[in-house]
Amino acid sequence: MPGRVLVDLNETAGAVAPPPSSPGLSHFAPLVPTKADVARFAQRHLDAGLDVARATTS
């Protein structure tokens, strides 16, 4: 769906940082139905200048 927000991360002013041992957000793995959808997803991110070099498939 064009324009649909999949993930929205926000920073809270004055929030206390978690301890270094916290897992945090280590990766984002969208589930897409077809290889064509994966290609569109990757191309949109490349077009936006985001790093997809470490992307993997399972």
Side-chain angles (χ1 to χ4, degrees):
M1 287 183 198
R4 183 175 175 191
V5 175
L6 298 177
V7 174
D8 187 16
L9 302 176
N10 297 291
E11 180 178 356
T12 302
V16 178
S21 60
S22 295
L25 179 62
S26 60
H27 72 277
F28 169 62
L31 183 60
V32 291
T34 69
K35 288 182 181 181
D37 293 320
V38 173
R40 277 191 295 279
F41 182 86
Q43 190 61 57
R44 285 179 58 128
H45 284 75
L46 288 170
D47 292 346
L50 301 173
D51 179 12
V52 295
R54 291 178 273 168
T56 61
T57 59
S58 48

